[in-house]
Amino acid sequence: MRSGPVRAAWLRIEETIDPLFPGGTNPLRNLGALACLMFAALLLSGTYLYIHFDTSTDGAWPSINRLSDEQPWLGGLLRSMHRYAADLFVTFTLLHLLREWVLGHYSSFRAMTWLTGVPLLAFMYVSGIGGFWLNWDVLGQYAATASAELIDALPMLDGTLARNFLDSGAVSDRFFSLLVFIHLGVPLMLLFGLWFHLQRVTRPRILPPRALMFGQLALLAAIALAWPVTSGAPADLGRVPVALALDWFVLHPLPLATSLSAPVFWSLLAILFGVLLMLPTFPDRQREPVAVVDADNCNGCRRCVDDCPYSAITLEAHPDGKPGKQIAVVAAERCASCGICAGACPSATPFRSVIELVNGIDMPQQSVDSLRRKLVDDLARAESAPVVVFGCRHGMDVEVNRRIDVLGYNLLCIGLLPPSFIEYALRGGAAGVIVCGCADASCEFRLGNQWTRERMLGAREPHLRRTVPPDRLRVMMVGRHEQGQLDAAIDSLRQNASQGEIA
Amino acid sequence: MNKPLIWMGQAVLYAALAAVILVFTRWPSYQNLPADSALIKLSISHQGKVLGDCVEQTPEQLAKLPPNMRAPVSCPRERSPLTIEIDVDGVLAYRQVAQPSGLSSDGAAVVYHRIEVPAGAHAIEVRMKDDARSEGFDYTRSETVTLAPAEILVVDFDAAERRIILL
Ligand code: HEM
Ligand code: SF4
Ligand code: SF4
């Protein structure tokens, strides 16, 4: 794992506010979903605004203004929400990008998701800036002329776009319809692009957890009610709009371009997009071995396909030729090397009486066989009944030898753990078992702790046998620095075990 | 962490986000033009005169061409660049030579430039040349204009009337 100072600082911030947002509702861990939520709010409120919008140069301003004046509780509210949702959309999207960048989430199996995210940025800004044109107040006038001047500065174009804004007569209704078309068409492209963006992400969290979603929508409605958005004076092309109340979230590229000069602005923008698009070619970590399928031990049950967080597994005809039988096939370039599939496979049960435990699908760097061997050896060597802790190497380090009576195993992901290993450890003499995954919504592979929890509860295959006594097992999803919680769990298991002995 | 603490902590963070949004959605206000200034917007898109005369083709020249291209006169398409100068209060404020657009340089030449001036009265002189073969400037317009703060004066060329216009 790379651990630069920026990455460490970001994780520190996330972990600091984790206690305030229980159950995976930490907004910093849900930025993509928050951006989607704001986009949905924009589409819905925008539809209402469009129904009441007059798409002519003279009709636009009054039609929007009427919404605020005549129906403050519906049109006016939706109008204000549309504006603030745009501000929040930009904020969440930029933070989402920053987070994925800082955490190094741009290369190998994530390269496609990263690359399809980059154009969304451009669509976002064009949609946002284009929204201000339609209002056709002084702010819209500024946004439109400044955008046109900026586009005119591009080589290849004939440079006459800004001439459309020379005087009021110049802005024909036809040209104004073109502006409307941009503000409708580009968001649709964004929606389509979003679909591409999420192609490689299985079960993406498109909406945030309920508490966060309601909180965020309540915030949006509250600021829209308390500080409604109103129009500036109608556009007047004979005068420069001065002292503008600029929306810096959406419109910042325009003054930036003015202060840098258009050619410098375009050059920097080209460099920025170049860097974003080149980033996947410079991975910040080594590629790890990917999942490997063993034909003799795969019966095509599909569990790994269902659990893989990056749609890296498909089923094909089994090489043994039995009609209808299938086999899992891993697409190496999509595989995240998380091992969640290994934990899903029915062949992973350590009770099988084979010398080498070959799993249907397995990780060469941490096979279930190596895990069983280690566990067996360690249990045999232990002097008194130890507590076995399965952890994740992206989360709290459970291997550091804190206590002599604890056996810790850092897995590639907590989802790699076949539930049968818990029973196996208990039968092998463990006093208790702790399954210690990463904090909610912080799984490096998104779904590892969710699948683990469901497997433990019996809600997902392979499930934990009900014969495992609940007082011998703890399942906890905690942050990297919550050693105290782990110690408490160890103590309580130990206590249960000693009470069991007395009884 | 207990419930009341969680509620309070969340309230603080939501309020902080709301404050950031409410502030930067309209503040600081942007001074698009210095106070008490006006703007002269020079915006001209105009096709210069063609550079050469049409030449009558000799029968020999015509014979060399494919039959469908045997036009009796050949006219060059390349246009003259546009030279524009503008004086404000007797001082040259801007000068540009704009090349015609198009692959064969047969399109319009485009000039777009903003000049910020203090509000008030100004003597403006605009000179334009659209014919490389003529002497001096082909069009000149001098005028004294009074500009209110933030007022925009557009300098354009009316191709139909063939004169510089101030709007
Ligand atoms: C319109 C703006 C965007 C929206 C609405 C959006 C939304 C999302 C969503 C919902 C996810 C799935 C998150 C999850 O299930 O945990 C995601 C993942 C991702 N996004 Fe975006 N995204 C946007 C822009 C971007 C941009 C600009 C980039 C970077 C260039 C980016 C990079 C990524 C990456 C790398 C992932 C994968 C995370 C992972 O696999 O763990 N996204 N995005
Ligand atoms: S290791 Fe992870 S990403 Fe790769 S195939 Fe298995 S579940 Fe899918
Ligand atoms: S879970 Fe195992 S047996 Fe089932 S399809 Fe995947 S590799 Fe084959």
Side-chain angles (χ1 to χ4, degrees), chain B residues 3-127:
Chain B
K3 272 263 157 69
L5 263 179
I6 289 181
W7 283 96
M8 259 161 47
Q10 288 202 2
V12 169
L13 289 182
Y14 275 116
L17 179 61
V20 169
I21 296 295
L22 288 169
V23 167
F24 294 110
T25 196
R26 41 174 82 87
W27 181 89
S29 87
Y30 176 57
Q31 205 59 37
N32 192 17
L33 191 72
D36 287 326
S37 298
L39 187 67
I40 300 175
K41 226 186 228 184
L42 184 59
S43 173
I44 294 178
S45 168
H46 173 61
Q47 264 188 330
K49 300 255 164 62
V50 284
L51 275 181
D53 289 324
C54 298
V55 206
E56 248 180 86
Q57 302 292 81
T58 60
E60 296 86 70
Q61 280 170 321
L62 281 179
K64 281 192 217 139
L65 294 170
N68 61 333
M69 301 202 29
R70 284 178 191 156
V73 281
S74 146
C75 294
R77 294 168 62 193
E78 191 179 347
R79 304 245 168 202
S80 165
L82 217 57
T83 306
I84 293 187
E85 290 183 359
I86 175 163
D87 289 350
V88 177
D89 301 324
V91 181
L92 181 68
Y94 186 66
R95 175 189 154 84
Q96 185 182 345
V97 181
Q99 297 303 324
S101 59
L103 281 181
S104 22
S105 296
D106 57 347
V110 178
V111 174
Y112 187 88
H113 187 72
R114 297 160 54 111
I115 303 167
E116 287 172 13
V117 294
H122 296 282
I124 310 267
E125 182 173 302
V126 186
R127 298 177 290 275

Side-chain angles (χ1 to χ4, degrees), chain A residues 109 202 287 289-293 304-305 307-313 329-332 334-344 361-363 365 412-413 416 445 451:
Chain A
F109 64 95
T202 316
R287 263 226 92 164
V290 299
V292 177
V293 177
C304 57
V305 179
D307 283 7
C308 173
Y310 290 99
S311 310
I313 313 175
V329 176
V330 176
R334 296 183 170 205
C335 174
S337 311
C338 64
I340 292 177
C341 49
I361 187 163
D362 215 343
M363 306 310 297
Q365 66 275 48
L412 296 177
C413 169
L416 184 146
F445 307 106
W451 290 168

Side-chain angles (χ1 to χ4, degrees), chain A residues 331-466:
Chain A
E333 79 284 0
R334 296 183 170 205
C335 174
S337 311
C338 64
I340 292 177
C341 49
C345 185
S347 307
T349 169
F351 293 107
R352 284 168 64 198
S353 52
V354 284
I355 297 178
E356 195 194 349
L357 178 60
V358 183
N359 198 5
I361 187 163
D362 215 343
M363 306 310 297
Q365 66 275 48
Q366 191 171 60
S367 66
V368 290
D369 183 60
S370 69
L371 190 60
R372 183 175 74 165
R373 273 174 211 278
K374 247 205 223 155
L375 188 62
V376 171
D377 285 356
D378 292 349
L379 282 171
R381 234 180 286 141
E383 286 173 12
S384 61
V387 171
V388 170
V389 186
F390 294 107
C392 167
R393 64 172 180 169
H394 295 275
M396 190 195 306
D397 186 349
V398 300
E399 279 178 15
V400 287
N401 215 346
R402 245 181 316 256
R403 293 160 59 155
I404 177 134
D405 54 350
V406 173
L407 299 176
Y409 304 93
N410 291 337
L411 307 180
L412 296 177
C413 169
I414 199 62
L416 184 146
L417 181 72
S420 44
F421 267 71
I422 294 165
E423 213 183 338
Y424 190 72
L426 289 173
R427 287 211 210 158
V433 176
I434 297 175
V435 176
C436 180
C438 302
D440 281 306
S442 75
C443 173
E444 176 72 9
F445 307 106
R446 301 182 308 106
L447 301 173
N449 50 9
Q450 187 182 338
W451 290 168
T452 300
R453 192 174 267 142
E454 291 181 11
R455 289 171 189 167
M456 298 301 146
L457 289 173
R460 186 174 200 88
E461 293 301 336
H463 64 265
L464 180 71
R465 293 255 305 260
R466 283 186 221 290

